[in-house]
Amino acid sequence: MNISNRTVRVRFAPSPTGALHIGGIRTALYNYLLAKKQGGIFILRIEDTDQGRYVAGAEQYILDSLKWCGIEPTEGPTYGGSFGPYRQSERKEMYGKYAQELVEKGLAYVAYDTVEDLEKMRQEYSSESNPSPMYNHITRKGMKNSLTMTAEENEMERQKGTPFVVRMKIDPGMEIAFDDAIRENVVFRSEELDDKILVKADGMPTYHFANVVDDHLMEISHVIRGEEWLSSTAHHVLLYKYFGWEETMPIFAHLPLILKPEGSGKLSKRDGAKFGFPVFPLEWDPKDGTESFVGFRESGFDPRAVVNFLALLGWSPGDDRELMDLEEMVDAFSLEKVGKSGARFDFEKAKWFNQQYIKKTSGEELAGIIRSNIPSVYSDEYVASACNSMKERVFTYNELYTDAKFFYSDDFEIDEAMVDKKWSPKSEGHLSLLIEYLKENNFAESKEAEENTKAFLQERGIGMGEIFPILRLALTGTLKGPDLFQTITILGKTKVIERLEKLMKRMTAR
Ligand code: GLU
């Protein structure tokens, strides 16, 4: 079968070893975008053959994260599909016959070496130019394996039940070349490669082996993954050759790294804590004393903004568009437009994206999102109006209430130093005039209230700059914040007068 007319089937294949880093989400996203663009299938495969690194809850975290981002698989654990099971631990029995096949073809062999044997070999062959020698075509000759042992010796070890692994036999003199959709022509020499373990002593396949066998069995057309897997691809390509599966070998696409904010080095999960921003989609709290992390969700991000931001971290639609919904991204997506060089993780940019999505959201919707953080005495309409007044100036959903305490409590902090600075001997007179005016007038509608109040002040010769800062400080505690008259309207007459009188009392009592 020719690859170009194959159905596009791509997989996201995380190992459940902890929380899924934002880089993993980007890998999943690019897989998703290609699948949707090509009318293909996006598959989730859980690569859990390394039982020693298995972390409970990690698979659920992966499922929840993809769901939150709106990039759900078509096939996968809990989704089903006709190529399952989709957890490698449940496929254990399937790999044996493939290992057997390679052993029979002389392309893999059995090795009985103990940890001590391996250590001894490393010491023996270690030199300045080769400090950590590999198990390869040279060193294997001195080791305990089916290539160096007679058939009888081999049989004896098997009968004794000596633990063994299956290794891939890689001979020198071969060139392993493939066309990567992003890195273009990639070439390795077989002398550079070690005789990788394919099946471990516990009978479990290694990542490399299970990965290739499953990609073949699941009819994967494109392997889209992080750059850190590029060097492993040499072994993978060779395995396709060993099995005679070259015809259906997937197209490889190795994504550029996501770099630290300063632009050098790979973004790590610790960078979140270091720089004070999330690097995980959702909160991760294993509750066992090991590290916990906040996520973009808990930090008040809209998943659409996170996805938009991540999509452009290494890919471009080919024009200068930045704000794109998933559908537009699908439409514009191609692997050719993924860059080769690393993409810098710029949290300010992530916030900018989030701000754009918040601005586009109605006050009612925003109120729904933050409702559980607001005391229930405040009506939905009130919260919606407060959100409307705040939405132009916040970067996260959380800021809709953390920066707006004055809407939801009388107990907000007042910038006293600023009050002192703005309060003049004339302030008392001005403020009492204004209080009197407000008591007598209704100001249900912001525009009208604004004009009337301004006209009133003007008639009395009171400059806006003299009174508005004080008014703002009394109502919201700072000089920042939403439009003053909008704030007055939302807070309502009683509250506004109460706050002005409170400030007046404090200032005149001094
Ligand atoms: N299990 C590997 C990981 O955790 C998958 C790499 C691949 O996509 O082949 O990233």
Side-chain angles (χ1 to χ4, degrees):
M1 196 181 356
N2 192 311
I3 190 94
S4 56
N5 48 34
R6 269 165 79 179
T7 307
V8 168
R9 292 179 53 83
V10 292
R11 85 301 192 274
F12 175 50
S15 300
T17 54
L20 182 64
H21 180 274
I22 207 77
I25 296 289
R26 187 195 56 169
T27 301
L29 174 63
Y30 286 11
N31 274 285
Y32 175 92
L33 293 176
L34 186 81
K36 298 294 158 188
K37 167 85 185 190
Q38 306 283 345
I41 303 288
F42 173 50
I43 298 154
L44 173 67
R45 185 173 73 221
I46 299 293
E47 301 211 323
D48 57 351
T49 56
D50 193 348
Q51 302 283 295
R53 296 183 62 217
Y54 181 82
V55 172
E59 178 184 315
Q60 193 54 47
Y61 183 91
I62 293 164
L63 290 163
D64 293 346
S65 300
L66 295 179
K67 193 166 185 166
W68 183 69
C69 290
I71 50 172
E72 287 191 72
T74 308
E75 292 176 23
T78 74
Y79 291 91
S82 42
F83 292 80
Y86 294 92
R87 276 182 207 100
Q88 287 184 328
S89 58
E90 291 166 15
R91 301 171 66 83
K92 189 177 169 188
E93 312 310 322
M94 296 170 111
Y95 305 108
K97 79 170 205 230
Y98 294 98
Q100 186 66 34
E101 180 185 331
L102 292 188
V103 173
E104 278 163 16
K105 284 179 170 170
L107 296 169
Y109 58 93
V110 167
Y112 301 96
D113 314 282
T114 60
V115 178
E116 293 75 37
D117 293 334
L118 294 171
E119 190 40 43
K120 211 169 124 229
M121 177 273 278
R122 282 188 205 111
Q123 280 175 7
E124 215 168 288
Y125 286 88
S126 163
S127 68
E128 217 161 281
S129 60
N130 183 15
S132 41
M134 303 185 290
Y135 200 113
N136 64 4
H137 66 280
I138 300 170
T139 56
R140 75 161 88 104
K141 291 186 185 126
M143 305 303 289
K144 264 174 93 179
N145 55 53
S146 56
L147 301 175
T148 57
M149 293 156 73
T150 63
E152 291 76 49
E153 285 170 333
N154 231 312
E155 191 45 43
M156 246 166 66
E157 294 297 343
R158 292 300 260 277
Q159 296 220 332
K160 276 197 291 185
T162 310
F164 66 90
V165 298
V166 177
R167 283 184 182 270
M168 187 172 175
K169 182 167 177 278
I170 303 185
D171 290 328
M174 290 185 281
E175 186 181 270
I176 301 126
F178 61 95
D179 278 321
D180 188 279
I182 297 162
R183 322 290 314 184
E184 291 165 17
N185 197 248
V186 184
V187 184
F188 291 96
R189 302 264 340 149
S190 63
E191 300 85 272
E192 298 163 7
L193 310 181
D194 64 332
D195 285 0
K196 280 239 179 299
I197 295 179
L198 301 177
V199 182
K200 293 177 279 188
D202 64 3
M204 273 292 199
T206 55
Y207 153 70
H208 302 282
F209 193 53
N211 188 272
V212 167
V213 170
D214 285 348
D215 281 347
H216 173 73
L217 294 177
M218 294 184 179
E219 295 180 12
I220 298 303
S221 62
H222 297 71
V223 167
I224 305 170
R225 61 185 170 196
E227 192 178 89
E228 63 272 30
W229 301 102
L230 184 65
S231 60
S232 305
T233 312
H235 284 96
H236 301 178
V237 169
L238 214 46
L239 280 173
Y240 279 96
K241 289 220 167 79
Y242 283 10
F243 281 117
W245 296 336
E246 296 103 313
E247 282 285 292
T248 54
M249 188 165 83
I251 292 174
F252 292 97
H254 287 91
L255 306 177
L257 293 177
I258 299 182
L259 304 174
K260 290 183 195 300
E262 63 260 30
S264 61
K266 185 178 164 190
L267 181 76
S268 78
K269 57 181 188 183
R270 307 242 177 290
D271 288 336
K274 189 167 152 209
F275 296 108
F277 54 62
V279 290
F280 293 94
L282 314 177
E283 157 187 59
W284 172 255
D285 185 5
K287 297 197 174 70
D288 61 357
T290 61
E291 257 172 316
S292 59
F293 303 97
V294 294
F296 271 90
R297 183 179 61 186
E298 294 69 33
S299 305
F301 277 77
D302 188 297
R304 295 168 302 170
V306 175
V307 165
N308 196 159
F309 164 68
L310 286 179
L312 296 178
L313 225 51
W315 168 77
S316 132
D319 49 41
D320 55 11
R321 261 181 304 167
E322 287 197 294
L323 277 184
M324 299 173 82
D325 63 22
L326 209 47
E327 220 171 289
E328 289 171 280
M329 288 180 222
V330 166
D331 206 45
F333 192 78
S334 77
L335 287 172
E336 289 76 54
K337 292 196 206 115
V338 176
K340 275 196 194 57
S341 45
R344 193 171 71 85
F345 183 92
D346 178 1
F347 187 58
E348 294 308 310
K349 192 77 202 195
K351 278 166 54 183
W352 178 84
F353 274 108
N354 207 42
Q355 185 182 40
Q356 308 313 309
Y357 281 88
I358 291 177
K359 277 190 195 171
K360 289 203 293 190
T361 309
S362 71
E364 287 70 31
E365 254 178 277
L366 294 172
I369 294 169
I370 65 162
R371 186 68 253 197
S372 62
N373 299 285
I374 308 290
S376 55
V377 293
Y378 296 96
S379 71
D380 288 349
E381 292 75 27
Y382 178 88
V383 182
S385 311
C387 285
N388 255 335
S389 77
M390 292 297 294
K391 75 180 189 185
E392 295 290 327
R393 56 193 62 252
V394 299
F395 292 98
T396 66
Y397 288 137
N398 298 3
E399 287 167 357
L400 284 171
Y401 54 92
T402 58
D403 285 3
K405 291 225 173 74
F406 53 88
F407 277 132
Y408 305 113
S409 155
D410 292 323
D411 188 24
F412 54 91
E413 213 180 307
I414 296 196
D415 183 347
E416 297 294 349
M418 196 49 88
V419 176
D420 284 341
K421 209 170 137 193
K422 298 289 172 188
W423 190 268
S424 80
K426 287 196 268 173
S427 299
E428 188 184 338
H430 293 165
L431 200 53
S432 45
L433 265 176
L434 183 65
I435 293 172
E436 282 322 302
Y437 169 81
L438 294 177
K439 277 184 178 167
E440 283 157 27
N441 290 280
N442 276 329
F443 46 93
E445 202 192 280
S446 163
K447 257 289 145 267
E448 205 187 307
E450 183 168 353
E451 276 156 27
N452 295 345
T453 314
K454 280 181 180 163
F456 168 79
L457 293 170
Q458 220 162 12
E459 279 163 29
R460 308 270 169 315
I462 304 173
M464 309 298 144
E466 287 178 284
I467 187 78
F468 284 175
I470 290 176
L471 188 51
R472 196 179 261 290
L473 284 160
L475 299 182
T476 71
T478 69
L479 290 183
K480 299 179 305 209
D483 177 80
L484 183 56
F485 282 89
Q486 219 175 342
T487 309
I488 290 177
T489 310
I490 296 166
L491 287 172
K493 187 163 175 161
T494 317
K495 201 115 271 181
V496 169
I497 291 171
E498 214 175 86
R499 287 185 186 177
L500 294 182
E501 283 182 332
K502 195 167 151 196
L503 182 76
M504 175 88 141
K505 213 152 136 202
R506 263 210 352 255
M507 294 310 284
T508 52
R510 301 193 321 172

